[in-house]
Amino acid sequence: MEDTETSKKTDKQNLLILVLLTILGLAGLLGYLKYQDSVFPSASINFKLKKNEILDLAASWKEKMKVPEEYPIKSCTFSLDNGGKNFLDFKMGTKEANRIMREEAPIFYWEVRYDREKQDENTVVQLSPDGKLVAFEFYVSKDRQIPNIGHEEAKQRSLDFFCEQLGCKKEDVSVIGDTTTPQSNRIDHNFTFERKETTDRSWHGATVRAAVSYSGNLMTEFNSYLHLPESW
């Protein structure tokens, strides 16, 4: 009789513990769902596309940018701009930083590389988790012959592309860098553009910039990044 009573008491205690653990687990889940955007940096990553979709999109960009070679070696990795992320977390607070990194700043990206053995030319495409172009670069040999275009035409094409990718107007863009480099078989044009800060987009001196380059008449670089103020 005593053993039976002890057994019943133990069962009740185990049931009570189970109920308490369940309640605590539900409370933890509800807390995570409510505060994840304020606490967890991963909340800023919107994995809208699967890896195979990223690979298909990268291939379409390579074709669109008229890369003249095929590359049998291909890799795809996920990465981030740690410096930009740390700056936004510190200056803007986690919740606002997450929103900026998710919607406006090129912090998280997939990097797809195309290579060939024993060749110094290769291509890199970087895409945000939701498929926006972060960077494109065709590392072209200095000796490759490409037809030329004028400097102003290269500049206007580059500016148009910058505004198209960032969704901004030309009057909201500053030209930070502008150079011309003669090569043996072509002329290269390199530009750096900056999207100006506005009242609605003030990140304590940080701005989105992009390097855009033409090798002859071929765009060989678009590299967007979060430029941090020198005081940082």
Side-chain angles (χ1 to χ4, degrees), residues 126 134-137 209-212 221-225:
Q126 293 178 355
V134 172
F136 164 87
E137 188 149 10
R209 290 186 179 183
V212 188
E221 179 187 20
F222 170 80
N223 183 15
S224 65
Y225 57 95

Side-chain angles (χ1 to χ4, degrees), residues 29-93:
L29 176 61
L30 291 173
Y32 170 77
L33 294 174
K34 183 176 181 179
Y35 297 109
Q36 62 170 328
D37 199 47
S38 301
V39 179
F40 300 101
S42 60
S44 63
I45 307 176
N46 177 21
F47 284 107
K48 185 177 181 180
L49 301 179
K50 297 179 181 178
K51 187 175 181 178
N52 63 311
E53 294 175 308
I54 290 292
L55 288 168
D56 290 341
L57 189 56
S60 70
W61 270 111
K62 185 165 69 72
E63 181 178 354
K64 183 178 181 179
M65 304 305 280
K66 300 179 181 179
V67 175
E69 299 290 343
E70 291 296 326
Y71 300 95
I73 302 173
K74 180 171 59 178
S75 65
C76 182
T77 56
F78 190 75
S79 190
L80 76 156
D81 173 7
N82 266 309
K85 176 186 173 300
N86 292 338
F87 176 88
L88 291 174
D89 280 338
F90 183 79
K91 292 291 188 178
M92 307 301 297

Side-chain angles (χ1 to χ4, degrees), residues 37 43-46 97-105 130:
D37 199 47
S44 63
I45 307 176
N46 177 21
N98 283 348
R99 185 198 66 78
I100 293 170
M101 291 187 286
R102 183 170 55 245
E103 299 175 4
E104 299 186 69
D130 60 352

Side-chain angles (χ1 to χ4, degrees), residues 51-216:
K51 187 175 181 178
N52 63 311
E53 294 175 308
I54 290 292
L55 288 168
D56 290 341
L57 189 56
S60 70
W61 270 111
K62 185 165 69 72
E63 181 178 354
K64 183 178 181 179
M65 304 305 280
K66 300 179 181 179
V67 175
E69 299 290 343
E70 291 296 326
Y71 300 95
I73 302 173
K74 180 171 59 178
S75 65
C76 182
T77 56
F78 190 75
S79 190
L80 76 156
D81 173 7
N82 266 309
K85 176 186 173 300
N86 292 338
F87 176 88
L88 291 174
D89 280 338
F90 183 79
K91 292 291 188 178
M92 307 301 297
T94 303
K95 184 175 182 179
E96 179 63 9
N98 283 348
R99 185 198 66 78
I100 293 170
M101 291 187 286
R102 183 170 55 245
E103 299 175 4
E104 299 186 69
I107 300 297
F108 299 98
Y109 55 88
W110 288 100
E111 180 170 289
V112 183
R113 298 184 62 90
Y114 301 89
D115 293 280
R116 297 183 68 174
E117 291 185 2
K118 300 178 181 180
Q119 184 169 330
D120 59 351
E121 293 185 341
N122 56 59
T123 300
V124 174
V125 180
Q126 293 178 355
L127 299 168
S128 67
D130 60 352
K132 296 176 184 176
L133 183 67
V134 172
F136 164 87
E137 188 149 10
F138 172 36
Y139 294 92
V140 59
S141 169
K142 291 183 178 181
D143 296 325
R144 178 181 281 272
Q145 184 171 359
I146 304 175
N148 289 315
I149 58 174
H151 183 75
E152 283 304 313
E153 182 179 355
K155 185 175 182 178
Q156 287 305 311
R157 287 188 187 182
S158 299
L159 180 57
D160 288 343
F161 192 82
F162 177 88
C163 292
E164 179 184 349
Q165 298 310 310
L166 271 70
C168 58
K169 298 178 181 178
K170 291 182 180 180
E171 54 265 31
D172 297 327
V173 179
S174 298
V175 181
I176 305 299
D178 182 340
T179 62
T180 298
T181 306
Q183 305 290 358
S184 56
N185 292 308
R186 65 174 190 274
I187 298 176
D188 291 351
H189 309 279
N190 309 98
F191 311 95
T192 301
F193 301 107
E194 178 181 84
R195 185 176 64 185
K196 297 176 183 177
E197 281 191 293
T198 64
T199 304
D200 296 332
R201 188 192 299 113
S202 180
W203 301 341
H204 295 274
T207 56
V208 175
R209 290 186 179 183
V212 188
S213 299
Y214 266 82
S215 298

